[in-house]
Amino acid sequence: MKKSFVFTYISLLLLTATTALIASSSIVSKVVVFLILGISVLKIVLVAFQFMELKKANSFWKTSLISVLILILAVIFGILLTGHLIFNTVLWW
């Protein structure tokens, strides 16, 4: 097995365990949400570039993935920072 596959697999396991530990903590804040979303994006990029072989693809697909991820994160962060959900209700924290 290639070393890059093993490295990616171990990284995904560690990131998943970190996310589980953060999520199981009793702290509920926007920082925790941002941290979990950031780790999730990192895991998406690892899977896409390694196992879906996006690292060998055209640069258009690489920039498209990163752009869409940034756009999704910006929308989620914007909703969280303003304190309103779609139905105009205030978040619980």
Side-chain angles (χ1 to χ4, degrees):
M1 196 175 234
K2 291 184 179 180
K3 288 184 181 181
S4 61
F5 285 129
V6 173
F7 173 76
T8 304
Y9 181 69
I10 292 172
S11 299
L12 288 171
L13 286 174
L14 290 175
L15 289 171
T16 302
T18 305
T19 304
L21 287 173
I22 293 170
S24 67
S25 70
S26 61
I27 302 170
V28 178
S29 69
K30 291 180 185 178
V31 175
V32 171
V33 173
F34 292 152
L35 190 60
I36 290 174
L37 284 173
I39 291 172
S40 299
V41 166
L42 183 60
K43 287 168 40 178
I44 290 169
V45 169
L46 279 173
V47 168
F49 276 81
Q50 184 65 39
F51 299 116
M52 297 171 64
E53 297 189 3
L54 195 60
K55 62 184 174 185
K56 296 178 184 177
N58 190 344
S59 61
F60 168 78
W61 297 110
K62 296 174 189 178
T63 55
S64 295
L65 174 73
I66 301 298
S67 300
V68 168
L69 287 174
I70 290 172
L71 180 65
I72 291 171
L73 280 177
V75 168
I76 292 172
F77 289 162
I79 290 171
L80 287 175
L81 288 177
T82 58
H84 296 285
L85 292 174
I86 296 171
F87 299 109
N88 203 19
T89 59
V90 179
L91 293 174
W92 60 90
W93 62 83

